[in-house]
Amino acid sequence: MLTDKRILLILTGGIAAYKGLDLIRRLRERGAHVTPVLTRAAEQFVTPLSVAALAGHKVYRDLFDLTDEAEMGHIQLSRSADLVLVAPATADIMAKMVQGRADDLPSTLLLATDTPVMIAPAMNVRMWDHPATRRNLAQLRADGVTVVGPNKGDMACGEFGPGRMSEPLEIVDAVAAHFGPRPLTGKRVLVTSGPTHEPIDPVRYIANRSSGAQGTALGRALVGLGAEVIFVTGPADVAPPDGVQVVPVQTAQQMRDAVVAALPVDAAIFAAAVADWRVASASTQKLKKSKDGLPVLEFAENPDILAHVAQMSEGRPRLVVGFAAETHDVQVHATAKRLRKGCDWIMANDVSPETGIMGGSENAVTLISDEGAETWPRMSKTDVARQLAERVAAALA
Ligand code: CTP
């Protein structure tokens, strides 16, 4: 899908540079030609030899390397690509790009290029949150630079938060989206994602282990195919993807209201792990320990958002897709669930703890439709998302 696309890949100096090696492999697997450029700092993290070996191409490093200038001037090098990709992009290279500095080969290439530029930032969370980086990011976007990620999570520096470089496959998706085809252009797709939090009192809530990873991957894949995505998300660990319209909610009732407000849509995909029950009357004050005994919580049933939308008599999306999180007899339960809820497809998955699926990076799904059950091999959530997005595009075509 990236056949013969020429990518000028600039690796800058961050611990995430090691993921750059996998990125090169993934881009080449899809048919792209990768011309690698390393900053001096990047060479502290990956060796030019390993980069050259994976890219199957000479590594460019120095502005004043005369051999290179004889072979190919830096102006020509910067323009010989279909896309300039900076991954990882440090806070430093972002600042240099904003200022238009050209004091080494990578920054000179970025200033001289007339080809589209994409960056995958990676840095410490405080650096990412710093007002200077915020300003630089806004300016780069205004300059037409596409930004992929970063993701939120544990960082090599021991902190937690946004700043981790996107995974190589997520970057590949963004590159593929850049080049098209975009069969979902003009289509509106709703995605629910993440867990819901149901309050017990102002400080406590009932939740579940959903990370939002599958919903985020799905949102990203749909945007990649050109869809306008309304992303209704509970409090997830994984940040929403770029390019979607994010509607943050906490509870199932808020999620239902947000979903209804987002209609009409062409397709609706319910990847959220919605709490089935809420505390009937959550306390407005913190529940205190009492010598009169333990508190008794009474539950009320939450609205079934998927069933509500799937069974709408007017304005039903053309395609309604649910997920079925099961721990046993997955296919049997999921098949019954599809009929009970009235959706077109169910993506059934086994979330028993030994599978590591809930909160993990992989998924094993069976797509159940009125044509039967189709079991997909275990694969990354990114790949599940990509395949599902392609199926959605085919169904809406
Ligand atoms: N779902 C929803 N609203 C709810 C509960 C679930 O929209 N109140 C959606 C989920 O987003 C998912 C599908 O319904 O797409 C199935 O969720 P799941 O938790 O597997 O099913 P339940 O409805 O909870 O059924 P059961 O308790 O039988 O597992």
Side-chain angles (χ1 to χ4, degrees), residues 192 270-272 274-276 302-306 322-326 337 340-341:
T192 70
F270 294 85
V274 184
D276 289 323
N302 268 331
D304 189 321
I305 311 167
L306 168 62
F323 276 72
E326 310 289 350
K337 198 172 274 185
R340 195 168 67 241
K341 302 220 183 200

Side-chain angles (χ1 to χ4, degrees), residues 14 30 35-36 61 102 120 130 159 216 225 337 346 369 372 377 391:
R30 285 157 180 80
T35 304
R61 299 152 67 187
H130 195 283
E159 291 188 58
T216 285
L225 296 186
K337 198 172 274 185
I346 279 263
S369 68
R391 298 292 280 263

Side-chain angles (χ1 to χ4, degrees), residues 198-206 279 281-285 287 297:
E198 308 295 331
I200 296 170
D201 66 16
V203 296
R204 303 181 179 95
Y205 56 81
I206 298 172
V279 176
S281 44
S283 171
T284 52
Q285 293 184 331
L287 297 177
L297 298 179

Side-chain angles (χ1 to χ4, degrees), residues 142-204:
D143 291 345
V145 172
T146 306
V147 182
V148 189
N151 291 342
K152 194 165 138 189
D154 287 321
M155 309 195 56
C157 54
E159 291 188 58
F160 180 88
R164 266 164 67 118
M165 186 172 87
S166 293
E167 293 306 317
L169 278 177
E170 294 170 349
I171 300 173
V172 169
D173 271 351
V175 172
H178 170 80
F179 290 114
R182 294 159 72 85
L184 286 173
T185 303
K187 298 282 191 282
R188 240 172 103 80
V189 182
L190 171 91
V191 176
T192 70
S193 181
T196 62
H197 284 183
E198 308 295 331
I200 296 170
D201 66 16
V203 296
R204 303 181 179 95

Side-chain angles (χ1 to χ4, degrees), residues 27-351:
L27 288 167
R28 292 194 68 205
E29 267 171 13
R30 285 157 180 80
H33 300 293
V34 178
T35 304
V37 179
L38 284 182
T39 62
R40 284 271 168 263
E43 288 181 31
Q44 303 296 318
F45 296 94
V46 289
T47 68
L49 189 61
S50 52
V51 172
L54 281 164
H57 197 289
K58 173 186 174 65
V59 177
Y60 292 91
R61 299 152 67 187
D62 199 338
L63 188 55
F64 298 106
D65 185 332
L66 291 179
T67 327
D68 292 351
E69 286 298 312
E71 253 176 47
M72 177 186 263
H74 59 264
I75 302 287
Q76 201 191 333
L77 180 59
S78 75
R79 298 191 184 163
S80 60
D82 299 305
L83 178 72
V84 179
L85 174 62
V86 190
T90 55
D92 182 55
I93 195 81
M94 287 171 63
K96 275 185 173 171
M97 287 168 76
V98 167
Q99 290 178 9
R101 293 173 64 138
D103 59 1
D104 59 6
L105 180 62
S107 55
T108 304
L109 293 173
L110 284 160
L111 192 62
T113 192
D114 59 359
T115 353
V117 177
M118 183 180 287
I119 63 171
M123 66 196 71
N124 167 271
V125 56
R126 304 240 180 283
M127 293 168 78
W128 176 250
D129 284 339
H130 195 283
T133 307
R134 305 273 97 203
R135 280 197 302 276
N136 290 341
L137 185 68
Q139 187 58 56
L140 288 171
R141 285 202 164 113
D143 291 345
V145 172
T146 306
V147 182
V148 189
N151 291 342
K152 194 165 138 189
D154 287 321
M155 309 195 56
C157 54
E159 291 188 58
F160 180 88
R164 266 164 67 118
M165 186 172 87
S166 293
E167 293 306 317
L169 278 177
E170 294 170 349
I171 300 173
V172 169
D173 271 351
V175 172
H178 170 80
F179 290 114
R182 294 159 72 85
L184 286 173
T185 303
K187 298 282 191 282
R188 240 172 103 80
V189 182
L190 171 91
V191 176
T192 70
S193 181
T196 62
H197 284 183
E198 308 295 331
I200 296 170
D201 66 16
V203 296
R204 303 181 179 95
Y205 56 81
I206 298 172
N208 61 64
R209 294 184 197 282
S210 166
S211 63
Q214 187 62 81
T216 285
L218 200 49
R220 184 177 292 117
L222 291 162
V223 167
L225 296 186
E228 174 192 354
V229 176
I230 302 97
F231 192 77
V232 179
T233 175
D237 295 335
V238 176
D242 271 352
V244 301
Q245 186 185 319
V246 182
V247 186
V249 297
Q250 295 281 327
T251 67
Q253 287 176 305
Q254 289 169 358
M255 187 173 273
R256 189 258 329 264
D257 293 347
V259 164
V260 169
L263 299 176
V265 293
D266 296 287
I269 305 174
F270 294 85
V274 184
D276 289 323
W277 319 281
R278 66 179 179 277
V279 176
S281 44
S283 171
T284 52
Q285 293 184 331
K286 185 183 169 198
L287 297 177
K288 303 294 286 178
K289 278 201 287 286
S290 151
K291 56 182 176 340
D292 304 332
L294 297 171
V296 176
L297 298 179
E298 256 189 55
F299 289 97
E301 196 167 339
N302 268 331
D304 189 321
I305 311 167
L306 168 62
H308 172 73
V309 172
Q311 292 167 25
M312 284 170 63
S313 48
E314 261 178 54
R316 182 192 191 274
R318 266 169 67 199
L319 180 68
V320 178
V321 183
F323 276 72
E326 310 289 350
T327 54
H328 54 281
D329 299 328
V330 177
Q331 209 159 309
V332 175
H333 285 305
T335 303
K337 198 172 274 185
R338 186 181 86 86
L339 297 174
R340 195 168 67 241
K341 302 220 183 200
C343 55
D344 302 299
W345 302 346
I346 279 263
M347 304 290 288
N349 54 3
D350 183 346
V351 292

